[in-house]
Structure formats: structure tokens, C-alpha cells
Amino acid sequence: FFFNDTATTEIYTRSLVGSVRCVQETGYQRRVHGILMWVILIRHGQSTNNAMEAEKLPNIADLRSEDPDLSKLGIEQMKRTAEYIEKNKIRFDYFHTTPFLRAMASTKVIFDIAAKPVHPLEVILECHEVGGCYKYDKGMPGKPRSFIETYFPGSVIAKEIDEAGWWKSPNKETPKEGIERAKKFLYSLKHSVAEKKGLTLGYLTHGDFLSLILQLLTNQNLHIDQYHLAYVCNNASMTILYVKEDHIDIQAINFCPQNIR
């Protein structure tokens, strides 16, 4: 289900066309065709931490930021994804981002190029990266509410985010906590179908969290004491889910528009 190289991504694009066409349809058409809700999960573009990992720099733990921005490559990756979204007229009814800077910066690139969602952007905590905001396993606060209000005027910001930041734990999130959060996220998707029937929802999220979601959807065993990265979703890739009231179908995993020439 996941593809990491240009060749396989280009081949897989042909099988994705049907999914993209369904996402393009109006809410009325989707309801008529029995489609309940589309969810598009987008991983952020390459961050400066990701760039250091790619370069295999020594002492990355000392160099990494608890809340990195996008790298230059990350910005370009997100531009390609945004151009694909706009070219294929994918329109989001709701769009959500985490309060991590790399996620908000990725969202901003999409909004600068593609059509903005019907409803105001929502800044939420449910799909933040596994581990939370931390450095050396110590919890760090993250961006304060005023920063997000300035970054995204008019957005709907989770009430838990205040001037002290959004990560309230003194420690890094445990694997068990991350798994439970992923389960709650999927549960909330299925139970929002009745209210958001026929709509398209977008989530700007993170690689390890996406892997957890996909492991849960494919019924893989998850060890609560040790997290294992089973699915690799590239930076700026899209994973598409088709959500019904009783189950969730995976339509595409790790689709990388930036690899399409």
C-alpha cells in the first residue's frame, strides 16, 4: 500500500484517479452515490529536523528543535502538493492542522495556492506527532495561542491552547498514550459521519501518527511499550480514507504529488 520511489508513485497515480474524481464531486453528488465522507491526511513537508536526519548529521539529538520550521525543500514539496490539489479541484469543506510549526507552515503553503476550505481552519491537538512537543524526552510548551492567532487570523483554535503553549506534560508522550490518541481520532472520524455526510475533510498531520493510524486500520498488533514505524509516509504525501458509519476504507497511502512529473 505504500510507495516511496518515483516510478511506483507514477504507476500508482493511475489507480488513484478514481479516488480523486470522487473527492472532486459536490456534496450532493457524493450523497446520491452513497459516499459518506472523504478524509485526506497530508504529512507536513520536510522539516529542518528531517533535513538533518537526511544528511545524517552527528549529535542530532542536540541539534534538533522541539518545534522545527519547514526546510527549503519542505516548502517546495508542499507547493507541489498544493498545486496538485488545486489542479485537480479538490475542495475541502473542513481543514485541520496541528499546532506544530511545520504543520502550520505546510497548511499555509496549501492555502496560498489552493482554494481555502468552506469553513474556517481548525487548529487541533488530536493528530499531533507521536511523542508530543519535547526535547531530550522533556516536555516543551510549543507555540502560544497568540502566535497561532497571528499566524492564522480567524481560525478556530483548540481551547487547550493558551499563552503557556499547548503541550502540558512535563514529559514526552508514551507509545501507549499515542496509540490511545490514534484510536480516539479514528473513533471521532466514524462518529462525525452523520453530521458531515458528503463532505471532504483535510488533516495536516505527521509521519509517525500516520503510521499508527494505518496500523490500526490494517489490524496490526501494536505494542504499548514500544512504538514501531510500520508505514512510511513521505513528506507532503497524501493518504486518503473513505469513512462510513461502520468502517473506514483506505483508498490511497503515501501518494506523493511532488514525484509526479
Side-chain angles (χ1 to χ4, degrees):
F1 270 116
F2 60 95
F3 306 96
N4 292 318
D5 61 271
T6 303
T8 51
T9 302
E10 289 174 341
I11 294 169
Y12 187 52
T13 304
R14 301 186 189 115
S15 64
L16 183 74
V17 170
S19 295
V20 171
R21 284 177 179 167
C22 286
V23 173
Q24 289 171 349
E25 293 176 344
T26 66
Y28 172 74
Q29 288 174 318
R30 278 176 262 159
R31 284 191 289 273
V32 168
H33 295 165
I35 298 171
L36 295 182
M37 192 170 77
W38 286 100
V39 173
I40 301 180
L41 305 170
I42 306 172
R43 187 187 174 192
H44 60 80
Q46 185 192 64
S47 70
T48 53
N49 283 355
N50 295 151
M52 287 190 293
E53 292 168 0
E55 294 175 16
K56 298 181 179 180
L57 296 179
N59 303 318
I60 287 180
D62 297 325
L63 296 173
R64 77 177 294 277
S65 167
E66 70 275 10
D67 193 9
D69 202 346
L70 292 180
S71 67
K72 290 183 179 179
L73 175 59
I75 294 171
E76 292 306 311
Q77 289 172 334
M78 288 310 306
K79 284 181 179 178
R80 292 298 298 273
T81 297
E83 288 165 358
Y84 184 88
I85 290 170
E86 179 60 23
K87 179 181 178 181
N88 287 278
K89 296 181 172 58
I90 297 173
R91 297 295 180 252
F92 295 102
D93 296 286
Y94 291 88
F95 200 91
H96 315 75
T97 183
T98 76
F100 274 117
L101 181 57
R102 58 193 183 276
M104 294 193 292
S106 297
T107 299
K108 199 159 198 172
V109 173
I110 292 175
F111 284 10
D112 285 345
I113 294 173
K116 291 182 174 59
V118 175
H119 299 275
L121 170 70
E122 297 182 31
V123 183
I124 64 173
L125 302 180
E126 288 83 348
C127 57
H128 68 69
E129 182 59 298
V130 177
C133 193
Y134 67 93
K135 189 175 179 68
Y136 300 120
D137 294 340
K138 177 184 177 182
M140 304 296 285
K143 294 291 183 285
R145 190 178 189 89
S146 59
F147 178 93
I148 300 172
E149 288 173 337
T150 302
Y151 205 86
F152 288 122
S155 60
V156 178
I157 304 171
K159 63 180 184 301
E160 295 87 352
I161 304 174
D162 55 28
E163 280 309 292
W166 61 272
W167 186 249
K168 305 302 182 183
S169 173
N171 303 308
K172 177 181 178 181
E173 180 185 56
T174 67
K176 180 180 179 180
E177 291 168 337
I179 292 167
E180 289 305 310
R181 181 165 53 83
K183 288 179 179 178
K184 289 179 181 178
F185 177 79
L186 289 174
Y187 179 87
S188 68
L189 285 184
K190 286 198 292 185
H191 285 76
S192 64
V193 168
E195 178 188 354
K196 296 177 179 176
K197 186 179 294 185
L199 303 184
T200 299
L201 281 59
Y203 290 86
L204 206 305
T205 184
H206 303 264
D208 287 5
F209 185 76
L210 277 166
S211 181
L212 275 185
I213 291 296
L214 293 170
Q215 288 178 79
L216 289 169
L217 289 175
T218 53
N219 297 314
Q220 295 187 32
N221 291 326
L222 289 169
H223 301 287
I224 62 174
D225 296 322
Q226 184 177 8
Y227 171 67
H228 171 63
L229 184 64
Y231 289 89
V232 178
C233 291
N234 291 349
N235 291 120
S237 66
M238 298 193 295
T239 293
I240 302 178
L241 307 179
Y242 168 30
V243 184
K244 300 181 180 180
E245 291 170 336
D246 57 345
H247 70 278
I248 298 175
D249 293 336
I250 301 172
Q251 297 293 315
I253 296 176
N254 196 32
F255 172 62
C256 301
Q258 65 270 20
N259 286 342
I260 306 302
R261 295 292 183 261

